[in-house]
């Protein structure tokens, strides 16, 4: 089984490389299999440390926050108001803020995602990498597959391909698959982490808690980085070393 997984992984990477030469991956959501979970680090950070988030250490892209336990209060986890979602207003620099939701499968879209190329989130200094794919994605705080939110400026931030298509999608798929299989709710929160007046978020924090049971529960931080690329978070400009 181990050799089979390695073969599947190699085939998938090859397929992604071929696809990248045909389409603009900045507009594509890639669905990755469950065994990509092994890429998630067991490194830990506290909620208090996020306010003074240290620089990326070059190894641990995904870090568990508070032992992977979400920090919703009883009031925040109440389903008295049914399903809903809210987005923060853009700040004085036009940066996105925290997005909250009480998710349910009734909110999931029945149509394919539309064009979002008219949205230019802060730090959008697109760059084509050496492997002929784009560095940045217009990344959803609350994924389209959850609620059908499309070209909402309050819901889109500049995220690296590595953040959006490799790591963030793992946790989004976990939530979406649970919603499709049950009639239950998931409390969900995604928080972009900016440092001072920088235009590109250093990381995002994702929290989820299934309400009727504990089948879905995580609190993780994903660094907004790309292997082999040096990023200026003040502007979003990037260079290859």
């Amino acid at each position: 089984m181990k050799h089979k997984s390695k073969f599947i992984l190699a085939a998938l990477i090859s397929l992604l490389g071929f696809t990248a030469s045909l389409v603009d991956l900045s507009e594509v959501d890639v669905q990755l299999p469950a065994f990509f979970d092994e890429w998630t680090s067991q490194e830990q950070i506290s909620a208090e440390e996020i306010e003074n988030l240290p620089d990326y250490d070059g190894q641990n892209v995904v870090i568990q926050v508070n032992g992977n336990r979400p920090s919703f209060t009883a009031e925040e986890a109440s389903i008295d108001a049914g399903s809903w979602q809210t987005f923060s207003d853009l700040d004085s620099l036009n940066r996105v803020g925290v997005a909250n939701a009480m998710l349910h499968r009734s909110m999931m879209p029945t149509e394919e995602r539309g064009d979002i190329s008219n949205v230019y989130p802060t730090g959008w200094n697109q760059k084509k990498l050496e492997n002929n794919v784009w560095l940045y994605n217009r990344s959803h705080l609350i994924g389209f597959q959850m609620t059908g939110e499309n070209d909402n400026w309050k819901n889109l931030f500049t995220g690296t391909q590595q953040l959006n298509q490799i790591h963030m999608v793992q946790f989004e798929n976990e939530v979406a698959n649970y919603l499709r299989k049950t009639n239950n709710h998931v409390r969900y929160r995604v928080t972009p982490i900016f440092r001072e007046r920088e235009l590109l978020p250093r990381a995002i924090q994702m929290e989820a808690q299934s309400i009727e049971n504990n089948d879905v529960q995580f609190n993780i931080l994903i660094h907004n980085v790309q292997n082999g690329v040096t990023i200026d978070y003040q502007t979003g400009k990037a260079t290859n070393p």
Side-chain angles (χ1 to χ4, degrees):
M1 187 66 183
K2 183 177 180 181
H3 293 294
K4 183 178 180 182
S5 295
K6 288 183 177 179
F7 174 79
I8 295 173
L9 177 57
L12 178 62
I13 291 173
S14 176
L15 177 61
L16 286 175
F18 173 74
T19 304
S21 66
L22 301 178
V23 299
D24 178 356
L25 281 179
S26 67
E27 304 299 338
V28 176
D29 286 332
V30 178
Q31 305 298 311
L32 297 177
F35 60 76
F36 272 70
D37 285 341
E38 68 190 44
W39 290 11
T40 301
S41 167
Q42 297 302 308
E43 289 294 310
Q44 302 282 334
I45 192 173
S46 69
E48 292 74 21
E49 290 175 295
I50 292 178
E51 294 184 6
N52 298 293
L53 183 67
D55 290 341
Y56 170 56
D57 64 8
Q59 293 183 319
N60 299 295
V61 179
V62 181
I63 301 175
Q64 294 184 6
V65 180
N66 283 347
N68 207 30
R69 297 184 301 275
S71 57
F72 300 117
T73 65
E75 183 179 0
E76 289 174 330
S78 171
I79 57 174
D80 290 347
S83 56
W84 51 268
Q85 66 176 341
T86 61
F87 302 97
S88 300
D89 290 334
L90 301 181
D91 69 7
S92 61
L93 298 176
N94 288 326
R95 300 179 302 188
V96 295
V98 60
N100 281 281
M102 181 64 75
L103 300 172
H104 185 265
R105 67 184 183 189
S106 61
M107 303 173 71
M108 302 180 85
T110 57
E111 300 178 355
E112 293 186 4
R113 197 182 79 183
D115 182 26
I116 60 174
S117 62
N118 62 311
V119 177
Y120 290 89
T122 59
W124 185 262
N125 269 296
Q126 186 63 288
K127 178 181 177 64
K128 184 166 285 190
L129 303 178
E130 291 181 351
N131 53 0
N132 208 36
V133 300
W134 295 105
L135 169 61
Y136 291 129
N137 293 177
R138 293 173 173 89
S139 306
H140 291 77
L141 293 169
I142 298 180
F144 175 81
Q145 63 176 321
M146 312 288 194
T147 66
E149 201 69 28
N150 196 40
D151 56 346
N152 181 350
W153 287 68
K154 297 179 181 180
N155 190 39
L156 291 168
F157 69 97
T158 300
T160 64
Q161 181 195 115
Q162 184 171 322
L163 174 146
N164 191 43
Q165 297 185 27
I166 300 299
H167 297 293
M168 194 173 184
V169 71
Q170 294 184 68
F171 299 94
E172 291 174 329
N173 284 349
E174 178 182 348
V175 173
N177 290 336
Y178 173 82
L179 292 171
R180 292 188 187 100
K181 293 187 297 184
T182 73
N183 195 37
N184 296 342
H185 298 79
V186 174
R187 183 66 168 89
Y188 195 66
R189 178 163 58 210
V190 181
T191 306
I193 310 298
F194 292 93
R195 183 180 291 177
E196 298 177 346
R197 295 178 63 83
E198 292 178 345
L199 297 181
L200 195 72
R202 292 274 176 160
I204 61 162
Q205 181 184 8
M206 300 178 69
E207 298 173 83
Q209 174 65 62
S210 50
I211 302 304
E212 287 83 358
N213 55 39
N214 287 320
D215 287 357
V216 175
Q217 186 181 70
F218 60 76
N219 185 358
I220 53 94
L221 183 139
I222 308 175
H223 285 281
N224 196 12
V225 295
Q226 184 76 28
N227 290 340
V229 176
T230 300
I231 296 174
D232 178 1
Y233 290 88
Q234 191 69 43
T235 63
K237 293 181 179 179
T239 56
N240 297 91

